[in-house]
């Protein structure tokens, strides 16, 4: 058995925006014996999973499941629809959109990276404090009268900043420009936390992963694909084999995969889908909205800036907290980890050291979030950050005044 340091008593607080805490029910499901991935039982499991996951993406079309982290599913999405030299229009909302952009470049597609210019009084890039501006996409597509742009790629929930972009608005922008580009959306951290509608919003490829809203360990990821994306994949010249949709779709018809799938993670996925559908997607979304509001009440009471500067796109999944200039946010996180056994998300890329992220997703409740905020507040104070007031009190007040509408225990 792998032993790290002496393990502290109680549970570690894993309050990063993914991996999120894995419910015991899912851990138990994953501990069942591994079965023959070509045997009869497996086909039943596979078909059930492939139908269930469609409900989570709100699609009637196929969802490909890869044994890979989310990054693999990003590559799969590009490799299946693009050809070398194609032009892809991407939008910079933060670190994850930047990584996807870097990947596209490495794969040999030409990219354009839209963004809002400049930095603001916090010193952070404005584009890392806002959601996708659909009007910029529409303007660029209108200029592309010869339809060189193959796809528009955006991140739904930008996990490095805490902004959840309006995907329906991006669809409307593409339609208003009368442009045939495919719409590709990363909702790796948005799925099963924030409302997402693959079919209704006309998304062609939706990319997601297991370790965020689905409450699973890392290791599986998804491409939900439209009929238009499947057509595009037949023309695509990007070299691919393992990621290619065609053979997977063929095997999936009977509930199998062309290679050995991630059997025990799929047990977990089966359990996660059941849990989420039992609760009801709308209840899941409302629960996350409410947590986001409670955590933001705390950050406002501290008097620290919420990284997302546009309240219309506040994320229900995580909240980015900007620390005062000259204070190393990573030192605060380190102190909180050592003193209170809690992990908070670090500032990534362009905002490293300038902010930390509080995850409020998946298998949490009001009291785990209150403990999380207590740990954060103690860490801020111990680090000498001047806070205006108690965020813990503000969040308690918010949660008391706004009872959760569903999923609570019945009165005795
Ligand atoms: C976590 C995440 C990724 C990366 O996924 P991995 O599973 O780490 O490969 C990409 N995009 C977003 C928005 C994410 O939150």
């Amino acid at each position: 058995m792998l032993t790290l340091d002496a393990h502290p008593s109680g549970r570690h607080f894993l309050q990063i925006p993914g991996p999120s805490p894995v419910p015991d029910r899912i851990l138990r499901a994953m501990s069942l014996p591994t079965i023959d991935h070509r045997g009869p039982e497996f086909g039943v499991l596979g078909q059930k999973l492939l139908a269930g996951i469609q409900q989570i993406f709100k699609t009637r079309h196929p969802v490909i499941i890869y044994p890979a982290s989310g990054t693999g599913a990003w590559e799969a999405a590009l490799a299946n629809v693009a050809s070398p030299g194609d032009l892809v229009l991407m939008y910079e909302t933060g670190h994850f959109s930047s990584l996807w952009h870097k990947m596209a470049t490495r794969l040999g597609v030409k990219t354009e990276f839209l963004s809002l210019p400049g930095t603001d009084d916090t010193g952070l890039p404005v584009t890392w404090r806002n959601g996708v501006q659909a009007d910029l996409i529409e303007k660029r597509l209108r200029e592309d009268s010869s339809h060189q742009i193959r796809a528009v790629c955006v991140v739904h929930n930008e996990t490095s900043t805490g902004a959840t972009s309006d995907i329906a608005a991006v669809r409307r922008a593409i339609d208003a420009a009368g442009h045939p580009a495919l719409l590709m959306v990363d909702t790796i951290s948005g799925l099963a936390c924030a409302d997402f509608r693959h079919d209704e919003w006309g998304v062609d490829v939706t990319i997601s992963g297991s370790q965020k809203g689905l409450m699973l360990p890392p290791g599986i990821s998804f491409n939900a694909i439209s009929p238009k994306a499947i057509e595009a994949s037949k023309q695509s010249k990007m070299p691919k084999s393992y990621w290619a949709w065609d053979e997977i779709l063929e095997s999936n018809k009977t509930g199998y995969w062309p290679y050995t799938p991630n059997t025990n993670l799929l047990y977990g996925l089966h359990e996660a889908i059941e849990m989420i559908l039992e609760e009801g997607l709308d209840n899941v979304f409302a629960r996350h909205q409410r947590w986001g509001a409670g955590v933001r009440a705390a950050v406002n009471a501290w008097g620290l800036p919420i990284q997302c500067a546009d309240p219309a796109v506040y994320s229900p999944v995580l909240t980015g907290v900007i620390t005062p200039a000259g204070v190393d946010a990573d030192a605060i996180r380190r102190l909180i980890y050592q003193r209170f056994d809690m992990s908070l998300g670090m500032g990534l890329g362009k905002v490293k050291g300038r902010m930390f992220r509080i995850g409020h997703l998946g298998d949490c409740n009001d009291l785990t979030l209150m403990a999380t905020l207590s740990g954060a507040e103690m860490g801020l104070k111990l680090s000498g950050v001047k806070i205006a007031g108690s965020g813990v009190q503000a969040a308690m007040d918010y949660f008391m005044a706004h009872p959760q509408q569903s999923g609570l225990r019945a009165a005795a």
Side-chain angles (χ1 to χ4, degrees):
M1 176 111 186
L2 171 75
T3 41
L4 302 169
D5 291 347
H7 206 288
S9 60
R11 281 211 169 206
H12 177 70
F13 276 74
L14 185 65
Q15 297 300 143
I16 59 176
S20 64
V22 182
D24 294 349
R25 191 172 149 184
I26 290 180
L27 288 173
R28 279 196 295 274
M30 288 182 22
S31 73
L32 293 174
T34 304
I35 56 172
D36 175 6
H37 63 292
R38 311 255 182 237
E41 249 182 306
F42 195 94
V44 177
L45 171 71
Q47 283 183 315
K48 200 165 165 213
L49 278 175
L50 291 163
I53 196 67
Q54 288 177 311
Q55 295 186 59
I56 308 287
F57 282 88
K58 297 193 181 168
T59 181
R60 291 176 298 112
H61 302 297
V63 180
I64 307 274
I65 307 177
Y66 291 108
S69 86
T71 304
W74 265 348
E75 178 155 346
L78 290 166
N80 275 282
V81 302
S83 298
D86 272 356
L87 181 58
V88 170
L89 186 63
M90 307 182 98
Y91 192 101
E92 182 180 0
T93 42
H95 189 63
F96 289 102
S97 54
S98 301
L99 289 178
W100 198 14
H101 173 253
K102 185 173 107 187
M103 168 188 275
T105 309
R106 291 184 61 150
L107 287 174
V109 299
K110 290 211 255 340
T111 57
E112 275 184 37
F113 207 23
L114 296 176
S115 64
L116 288 172
T119 54
D120 63 16
D121 54 359
T122 64
L124 270 64
V126 173
T127 213
W128 285 48
R129 297 195 65 192
N130 284 279
V132 172
Q133 310 295 302
D135 54 332
L136 295 182
I137 292 177
E138 181 176 334
K139 181 165 170 286
R140 181 63 190 91
L141 292 177
R142 282 186 189 279
E143 289 162 8
D144 182 35
S145 50
S146 59
H147 295 166
Q148 296 301 302
I149 296 169
R150 162 78 59 194
V152 173
C153 297
V154 293
V155 172
H156 176 222
N157 186 71
E158 177 54 80
T159 323
S160 64
T161 71
T164 307
S165 290
D166 183 347
I167 301 303
V170 177
R171 176 77 264 167
R172 284 194 300 274
I174 298 172
D175 292 347
H179 200 287
L182 295 159
L183 173 56
M184 314 231 281
V185 180
D186 165 346
T187 190
I188 293 180
S189 63
L191 192 75
C193 298
D195 192 11
F196 190 84
R197 309 176 191 184
H198 179 87
D199 286 2
E200 190 183 318
W201 294 345
V203 184
D204 292 298
V205 186
T206 299
I207 297 113
S208 196
S210 56
Q211 75 271 29
K212 318 230 169 144
L214 289 174
M215 308 176 289
L216 298 166
I220 46 180
S221 54
F222 309 91
N223 279 179
I225 53 182
S226 72
K228 187 173 160 189
I230 295 174
E231 276 314 304
S233 73
K234 293 174 184 161
Q235 314 302 324
S236 151
K237 304 245 173 350
M238 192 81 80
K240 61 188 156 292
S241 169
Y242 182 73
W243 300 119
W245 292 335
D246 55 356
E247 290 183 4
I248 301 173
L249 286 173
E250 192 53 38
S251 282
N252 278 180
K253 283 183 184 160
T254 49
Y256 296 90
W257 273 263
Y259 45 74
T260 315
N262 229 325
T263 308
N264 290 56
L265 272 170
L266 294 180
Y267 296 160
L269 177 62
H270 179 264
E271 203 67 21
I273 292 170
E274 264 188 5
M275 289 172 74
I276 291 164
L277 296 180
E278 270 167 19
E279 183 176 352
L281 279 170
D282 288 341
N283 293 330
V284 171
F285 303 149
R287 179 158 59 74
H288 286 83
Q289 287 287 356
R290 184 175 163 278
W291 286 341
V295 170
R296 289 193 301 273
V299 181
N300 285 330
W302 289 330
L304 297 174
I306 293 168
Q307 184 175 357
C308 177
D310 178 2
V313 294
Y314 279 152
S315 173
V317 181
L318 75 138
T319 299
V321 182
I322 301 179
T323 51
V327 175
D328 178 5
D330 287 334
I332 304 175
R333 286 191 319 104
R334 213 158 34 240
L335 182 148
I336 292 170
Y337 177 77
Q338 286 164 353
R339 291 280 298 264
F340 307 116
D341 197 25
M342 174 163 73
S343 298
L344 294 174
M346 66 188 301
L348 296 166
K350 293 181 183 174
V351 296
K352 180 168 170 44
R354 283 306 322 278
M355 57 84 71
F356 62 86
R357 297 170 297 147
I358 302 174
H360 33 82
L361 67 159
D363 194 35
C364 296
N365 59 32
D366 289 5
L367 295 187
T368 54
L369 291 180
M370 286 314 310
T372 299
L373 292 168
S374 303
E377 187 162 315
M378 289 189 283
L380 287 165
K381 283 185 177 174
L382 286 167
S383 306
V385 175
K386 296 264 176 304
I387 56 174
S390 173
V392 170
Q393 186 62 54
M396 288 199 294
D397 291 343
Y398 182 88
F399 288 140
M400 285 191 289
H402 299 85
Q404 192 173 314
Q405 294 303 317
S406 70
L408 294 177
R409 290 185 191 283

